[in-house]
Amino acid sequence: MKKEVSIHIGEFYVSEEPTVIYTLLGSCVAVCLHHPDRKTGGMNHILLPGKSVSPSDADPLRYARNAIEVLISSVMGLGGARSRLVAKIFGGARLLTSISKDRGVGRSLSEFVMDFLKVEKIPIISQDVGGTDVRKIYFHTDTGEVFLKRIPAGDHRRFLEQEQERLRLVDSQVRNTGTWYPWLPER
């Protein structure tokens, strides 16, 4: 029986033991990073594109750049060649229909993650991003397999409320730094 680990926004987990890492995604994105030769891997749960701009930020791993860099370093810390890493990405749904498709954080986040992995020369061998469904994903660190369960838009009201509250909190924190981010609607 494989160990099971649940992660949430701003968290990641890596393992050299066969492990199933799982999370629930709305507009957030998860990167599943796998090293097939070493049968190791890890996953993160990212809330926002870009990187943390404040040295006093208590949760920098909610930002894509910070989260992916730490994930890469952590998986590489388990051994093996960086050139053998492969990625799978999930999430980036548009849960708030009041926000246009072009300005939605899910789309911005998905695009940032794809661009960042391209720059890092880590191939994305599978992806399931966008749309309006919440996704629950299960990543097997030893095989690199990901099992995905979709939760249709009408079934995720409680999750949507929790994510909206978390986005309001993050929005408030970001706005208090005096920095403007183009993916956040102006108020």
Side-chain angles (χ1 to χ4, degrees), residues 10-26:
E11 296 179 345
F12 77 101
Y13 190 84
V14 300
S15 182
E16 58 190 345
E17 298 174 22
T19 304
V20 178
I21 308 169
Y22 62 95
T23 196
L24 188 66
L25 301 165

Side-chain angles (χ1 to χ4, degrees), residues 11-152:
E11 296 179 345
F12 77 101
Y13 190 84
V14 300
S15 182
E16 58 190 345
E17 298 174 22
T19 304
V20 178
I21 308 169
Y22 62 95
T23 196
L24 188 66
L25 301 165
S27 60
C28 292
V29 169
V31 176
C32 301
L33 201 58
H34 185 241
H35 194 297
D37 300 334
R38 304 279 303 173
K39 297 193 182 316
T40 59
M43 181 170 74
N44 58 19
H45 187 134
I46 309 166
L47 177 66
L48 295 168
K51 67 178 182 173
S52 175
V53 293
S54 172
S56 63
D57 190 345
D59 198 4
L61 297 184
R62 62 187 173 184
Y63 292 90
R65 183 178 182 137
N66 302 72
I68 298 170
E69 287 175 347
V70 167
L71 183 64
I72 292 169
S73 296
S74 298
V75 172
M76 290 307 304
L78 301 176
R82 179 187 173 105
S83 62
R84 296 292 295 141
L85 293 177
V86 293
K88 296 181 180 184
I89 63 172
F90 301 89
R94 182 172 160 252
L95 299 180
L96 303 173
T97 56
S98 60
I99 296 176
S100 74
K101 288 181 183 180
D102 295 336
R103 293 182 53 91
V105 70
R107 179 177 176 169
S108 298
L109 179 53
S110 299
E111 290 173 356
F112 185 93
V113 167
M114 287 186 261
D115 291 343
F116 188 82
L117 289 169
K118 184 177 182 180
V119 167
E120 292 295 315
K121 296 182 171 92
I122 297 175
I124 300 169
I125 61 170
S126 179
Q127 66 183 22
D128 190 290
V129 297
T132 58
D133 291 343
V134 170
R135 296 165 174 89
K136 187 162 188 178
I137 61 168
Y138 302 85
F139 172 56
H140 293 253
T141 61
D142 54 333
T143 65
E145 292 177 302
V146 176
F147 297 93
L148 179 141
K149 178 180 180 182
R150 290 182 177 277
I151 303 168

